[in-house]
Amino acid sequence: MSQQSGAPKSRAVCATELSWCRAVPGGTGITVLALLFSKPPDLPFLQSALRRFQSSHPILNSKLRFDSSSTSFSYVTSQSPYLQIRPFDTQSTAQILQSHSSSISIPPLQLILEHELNNNSWQNPDPSSDADLFLASLYHLEGSLWVLALRIHTSVCDRAAAAALMSELVALMEEKEGNRAESVEENQEMEVSLGIEDCIPAGLGSKGFWARGVDMLGYSLNSFRLANLSFSDTASPRQSCIVRMRMNAEDTGRILSRCNSNEIKLSAALAAAALIACHASKKFPLQQWEKYAAVTLTDCRSALDPVLSSHHIGFYHSAILHTHDIKGGEDLWELAKRVHSSFMNSKNKNKHFTDMADLNFLMCKAIENPGLTPSSSLRTSLVSVFEDPIFDPPNKLREALGFEDFIGCASVHGVGPSVAAFDTIRNGEVDCAFVYPFPLFSREQMNEFVDGIKGILLKGIA
């Protein structure tokens, strides 16, 4: 961190952050939180609240600087909060919704979310101007419905950080209503913190030269053997779209109960259902197997040095890539146990730390050389899941605030999985946003795929 008196503080991005800085221009790594309100939000209050976030979390009050001579990036912290909410009136919002209309009926909240996922202000890094990392827009739907959309560069905001931001925003709204709540100042950070690589405990991230070479070769060779969903359109420009899967409280409780009895996590069941659904979609005869890759993302905050809280903003997730042979006819829970065991064995060997550099390198190589991936699709796995879901407890005050619904996820139409699952347990119900690249996969195709995942889960608890 630069400490020159009177000069803005800055630091170079770390390796993981750099991989996101390279991925975002191509369309992967745009994090969006879309919140639906049934009452007109207090715009000055929201503006003030979001700027308090920036003051309390310097990484959100930073801008991204690109050095064209060295093709490097750095975070430069602004001396005062810069966020300005951009309002869209009913007519402007209607035009946006119309531009994203399709043959399939899609709720306005989802259309606004997709619009924001594909609004890439970081597409062409400009060395003459620092780029904002945190942006906000307020859309007025017909009647009394409003959508607040927060768009953030993923290098400074992983899923845990996005969830913390939303909880802090609700806490501030509770304060405004005169209710005692945790203040955002309690989560204040004094300066832009270190990247994840600089916080890995000594010895946990080290790997010998030959071991790294063998692992890199293994990842590279395995990638040519991986199967995927059938591609629909590999030539047209891409964007990120979502399919939302929701389950009632009864089915959710039964699924979580089965996960507990099998000593696995919901993420393993989601990944297993996706693997089975993909193989089934190809209508292979039984015993014809394919190899699929799944990626499990884990929040490393509690394992870092120093230990970071869930409200510490930044990107502190790491990925573990595991492959599975699927031949059809698999039992959901048996496969889910295999998926969970594969992930946990790797995590217990600290591969989420030791393989971090390998996966970042391969991600950047895929960006630079799309031809290294099947049909130049930039697909690196079939599915990505998060080790743990986000739990959103019921809150009666939200009804008074007019807070009706929200969806949070990140774009994947550059490099990444065929489908990324962002799961939430909300009021005891599964609410999962599946993000995918369109038209590499069509809406109809992905709706059928997600319906297949849901059907497999429901069959597993029948």
Side-chain angles (χ1 to χ4, degrees):
M1 182 72 68
S2 173
Q3 300 291 339
Q4 291 181 352
S5 178
K9 296 180 178 180
S10 67
R11 76 159 172 86
V13 301
C14 74
T16 294
E17 293 163 343
L18 177 61
S19 67
W20 287 113
C21 290
R22 292 180 174 174
V24 169
T28 289
I30 301 169
T31 295
V32 176
L33 277 173
L35 296 81
L36 177 66
F37 294 90
S38 59
K39 296 180 181 179
D42 184 336
L43 185 58
F45 165 76
L46 285 177
Q47 179 83 53
S48 174
L50 293 174
R51 288 192 171 188
R52 285 174 69 183
F53 287 155
Q54 288 192 300
S55 296
S56 299
H57 304 290
I59 192 72
L60 291 179
N61 196 34
S62 299
K63 298 194 176 190
L64 189 63
R65 176 170 296 173
F66 174 61
D67 185 347
S68 58
S69 63
S70 60
T71 63
S72 62
F73 294 85
S74 58
Y75 300 129
V76 181
T77 305
S78 299
Q79 295 181 336
S80 59
Y82 62 76
L83 186 139
Q84 185 74 37
I85 296 178
R86 184 181 181 187
F88 291 86
D89 60 20
T90 307
Q91 182 178 358
S92 299
T93 302
Q95 291 175 347
I96 291 171
L97 295 176
Q98 182 63 35
S99 68
H100 290 275
S101 62
S102 72
S103 58
I104 298 177
S105 177
I106 302 173
L109 174 64
Q110 183 174 324
L111 287 176
I112 293 295
L113 174 70
E114 291 185 359
H115 173 71
E116 287 285 330
L117 288 173
N118 298 294
N119 186 358
N120 194 346
S121 54
W122 303 287
Q123 192 166 10
N124 299 300
D126 183 359
S128 65
S129 177
D130 298 339
D132 293 353
L133 291 167
F134 186 24
L135 304 103
S137 300
L138 184 63
Y139 299 88
H140 186 193
L141 306 176
E142 291 184 356
S144 60
L145 294 179
W146 300 72
V147 175
L148 174 66
L150 307 180
R151 177 159 39 97
I152 315 169
H153 196 289
T154 296
S155 72
V156 300
C157 185
D158 57 21
R159 191 182 68 145
L165 282 180
M166 198 182 74
S167 69
E168 290 183 19
L169 178 60
V170 172
L172 287 173
M173 296 176 78
E174 291 173 349
E175 286 182 7
K176 180 175 181 288
E177 294 295 313
N179 291 268
R180 188 177 183 275
E182 179 187 28
S183 173
V184 71
E185 274 78 11
E186 293 179 29
N187 301 310
Q188 186 165 4
E189 299 158 30
M190 299 308 297
E191 61 180 22
V192 175
S193 52
L194 297 174
I196 185 171
E197 282 88 353
D198 296 319
C199 298
I200 297 175
L204 293 190
S206 59
K207 183 194 289 189
F209 175 79
W210 291 112
R212 187 172 301 281
V214 169
D215 285 347
M216 289 284 286
L217 183 62
Y219 281 130
S220 300
L221 292 178
N222 266 332
S223 66
F224 293 106
R225 303 167 58 198
L226 299 177
N228 217 310
L229 280 169
S230 300
F231 299 133
S232 177
D233 180 352
T234 60
S236 300
R238 293 173 196 154
Q239 57 182 306
S240 287
C241 294
I242 75 166
V243 176
R244 196 173 184 183
M245 184 188 79
R246 306 170 92 168
M247 291 186 173
N248 61 39
E250 181 181 357
D251 290 335
T252 298
R254 293 166 70 188
I255 289 173
L256 295 178
S257 177
R258 288 298 295 271
C259 288
N260 289 335
S261 65
N262 283 284
E263 298 182 331
I264 64 173
K265 296 192 175 185
L266 176 62
S267 55
L270 285 172
L275 299 177
I276 295 172
C278 182
H279 191 275
S281 71
K282 300 183 179 181
K283 305 188 186 313
F284 287 137
L286 288 177
Q287 306 304 313
Q288 181 171 337
W289 66 272
E290 285 191 312
K291 183 181 289 291
Y292 297 100
V295 169
T296 303
L297 292 151
T298 180
D299 184 2
C300 298
R301 284 173 174 79
S302 62
L304 298 178
D305 184 16
V307 171
L308 303 178
S309 78
S310 60
H311 284 261
H312 199 94
I313 307 302
F315 191 91
Y316 297 101
H317 275 66
S318 185
I320 290 178
L321 176 71
H322 40 107
T323 60
H324 303 276
D325 294 336
I326 307 298
K327 62 180 180 180
E330 281 86 1
D331 175 78
L332 170 65
W333 301 109
E334 289 301 318
L335 179 57
K337 284 191 282 188
R338 281 167 46 196
V339 170
H340 179 80
S341 176
S342 175
F343 165 71
M344 290 305 300
N345 286 341
S346 294
K347 186 176 179 181
N348 290 336
K349 295 176 182 176
N350 295 315
K351 290 182 75 67
H352 54 310
F353 290 141
T354 61
D355 289 13
M356 189 181 295
D358 302 343
L359 294 177
N360 285 337
F361 175 80
L362 292 172
M363 178 178 174
C364 291
K365 281 300 177 184
I367 295 170
E368 297 166 5
N369 304 279
L372 297 176
T373 60
S375 303
S376 298
S377 64
L378 289 174
R379 295 311 102 196
T380 55
S381 65
L382 170 66
V383 62
S384 69
V385 294
F386 289 87
E387 179 183 3
D388 296 300
I390 296 295
F391 283 88
D392 184 47
N395 189 324
K396 293 182 179 179
L397 184 60
R398 293 185 180 185
E399 298 176 9
L401 296 170
F403 183 24
E404 297 289 331
D405 196 6
F406 75 92
I407 311 176
C409 56
S411 61
V412 298
H413 58 277
V415 67
S418 293
V419 60
F422 294 81
D423 56 328
T424 304
I425 306 296
R426 192 177 312 173
N427 296 329
E429 300 178 346
V430 166
D431 188 346
C432 186
F434 289 92
V435 189
Y436 66 95
F438 172 86
L440 186 65
F441 307 108
S442 69
R443 284 193 185 271
E444 294 78 9
Q445 176 187 12
M446 197 55 66
N447 273 316
E448 290 180 6
F449 178 58
V450 173
D451 284 344
I453 292 174
K454 184 175 182 178
I456 290 164
L457 291 169
L458 292 178
K459 182 180 178 182
I461 58 171

